[in-house]
Amino acid sequence: MSSGWSLWVMFLVVLNLGITFALFLWAPRAKIPTRPDGTTGHVWAHGTILEGLKNLPTWWIVFSGSMFAAAFIYLFLFPGFGNHKGALGWTSHGQLAREVAANKATLDPLLERFRLYTVEQLAGDPQAQQMGKVLFEDNCAACHQRSGKGNILVGAPNLTDDDWLYGGTGKDITTSIHDGRSGVMPPWASLGADNVKNLTQYVLSLSGAPHDAAKAAAAKPLFSTCAACHGAEGKGNPALGAPNLTDHVWLYGGTPAEIEQTISNGRQGHMPPWSPRLSEDQIHVIAAYVYHFSHQADEGPQ
């Protein structure tokens, strides 16, 4: 803090404490005119309520005085009066460093143990789940929800089922969290509105959903364009993040209108990389927690 700012802070402290302390000393001795009946003359409710006058109770005066004493002691012990560092030498940076060090001393032995296990093995460890839950809620729940159920509005997949766009092994999940994922579904509106509607019916047919058989049959030749990513049978491709169209899991919704919108406008799902924000150990624990969502019966490390 510069000398100018220090003097300004000192001035504000002295001004505020000085005024309030002066009022505190003056108030008990102030002379307020009263009527013979002991009231001030202020009335309400057409004179049925009269304002009386009583001295401040002793406990209030003692308590208020002790608060001023506490304020002066605080400004002496801690930084708060300009550039005064405080008799205790306390700083917020020092406090943070001590708390970080204490937290590190607690977590390091746990993380060291967690490194001995694969994601699949760690998924059943209660302490890893507890830590993973906190990390997941702090970093991932905004899109995937605290429950891990996902959000079709932002294209965040459901993590509690066994359907994985980029693979569901511990290594796959770790890579997704560490490096992020960028899905690119190009828009196909150029095919024409009728062809898009027909493709919608064909996609519905792949999963056995109710559909228009004639329109689906008409679109089957067109699906060869989609097969480059989704496969000839619509089974998807984890290497590209192309979803399986033959199950009943829909990243952006599975109604005819939602599928038609996906085909016509395309989708640009993005999972940001978390390696700049999270350490390797934290990513390892989150991956185990995510793996645990859809493998509730898995055993932890032995």
Side-chain angles (χ1 to χ4, degrees):
M1 186 186 299
S2 66
S3 297
W5 279 112
S6 177
L7 290 173
W8 175 246
V9 171
M10 293 167 70
F11 168 75
L12 291 177
V13 171
V14 171
L15 178 66
N16 282 277
L17 280 178
I19 291 175
T20 53
F21 191 65
L23 290 173
F24 170 72
L25 295 176
W26 169 79
R29 298 171 177 77
K31 302 298 182 182
I32 300 176
T34 57
R35 292 181 174 183
D37 61 357
T39 63
T40 64
H42 295 159
V43 298
W44 293 271
H46 305 290
T48 58
I49 300 177
L50 307 178
E51 182 183 64
L53 184 65
K54 296 287 185 179
N55 291 329
L56 291 171
T58 302
W59 70 263
W60 186 92
I61 296 175
V62 172
F63 179 77
S64 298
S66 66
M67 291 300 98
F68 280 105
F72 293 133
I73 293 172
Y74 179 89
L75 289 175
F76 172 72
L77 295 176
F78 295 95
F81 192 61
N83 280 333
H84 173 61
K85 297 184 181 301
L88 297 179
W90 180 92
T91 65
S92 58
H93 294 290
Q95 179 72 22
L96 176 61
R98 289 190 294 272
E99 292 179 358
V100 168
N103 189 57
K104 190 173 184 297
T106 301
L107 291 181
D108 279 356
L110 276 177
L111 294 175
E112 185 175 354
R113 180 172 67 82
F114 293 163
R115 294 186 202 114
L116 301 176
Y117 303 105
T118 65
V119 168
E120 290 84 352
Q121 291 172 324
L122 193 61
D125 186 281
Q127 289 181 306
Q129 288 181 27
Q130 185 178 13
M131 185 185 297
K133 182 176 186 293
V134 173
L135 290 169
F136 182 88
E137 291 178 353
D138 285 348
N139 299 281
C140 314
C143 292
H144 294 281
Q145 302 190 66
R146 291 164 62 104
S147 64
K149 295 290 187 181
N151 187 341
I152 63 172
L153 296 179
V154 296
N158 183 350
L159 304 176
T160 65
D161 56 22
D162 198 31
D163 186 82
W164 300 92
L165 286 175
Y166 294 92
T169 67
K171 183 177 180 180
D172 293 331
I173 297 171
T174 300
T175 301
S176 294
I177 299 171
H178 188 278
D179 300 335
R181 301 290 188 180
S182 292
V184 180
M185 164 73 180
W188 292 101
S190 59
L191 294 175
D194 289 340
N195 284 331
V196 169
K197 291 181 182 296
N198 291 344
L199 271 174
T200 298
Q201 296 303 312
Y202 183 77
V203 170
L204 286 169
S205 73
L206 290 175
S207 60
H211 62 281
D212 185 312
K215 290 183 178 181
K220 187 174 182 179
L222 289 174
F223 189 77
S224 61
T225 305
C226 312
C229 292
H230 293 282
E233 297 179 353
K235 296 289 187 180
N237 187 343
L240 300 174
N244 182 352
L245 305 178
T246 66
D247 55 20
H248 293 279
V249 179
W250 302 96
L251 187 58
Y252 292 94
T255 67
E258 290 167 333
I259 296 173
E260 184 177 332
Q261 183 180 5
T262 297
I263 297 172
S264 181
N265 301 331
R267 298 292 186 181
Q268 304 295 320
H270 179 64
M271 161 77 174
W274 289 95
S275 52
R277 175 183 173 95
L278 300 173
S279 69
E280 299 292 328
D281 287 329
Q282 289 174 321
I283 290 175
H284 185 58
V285 173
I286 292 181
Y289 183 72
V290 171
Y291 187 90
H292 170 74
F293 270 137
S294 58
H295 297 79
Q296 299 290 328
D298 282 7
E299 294 181 356
Q302 302 298 318

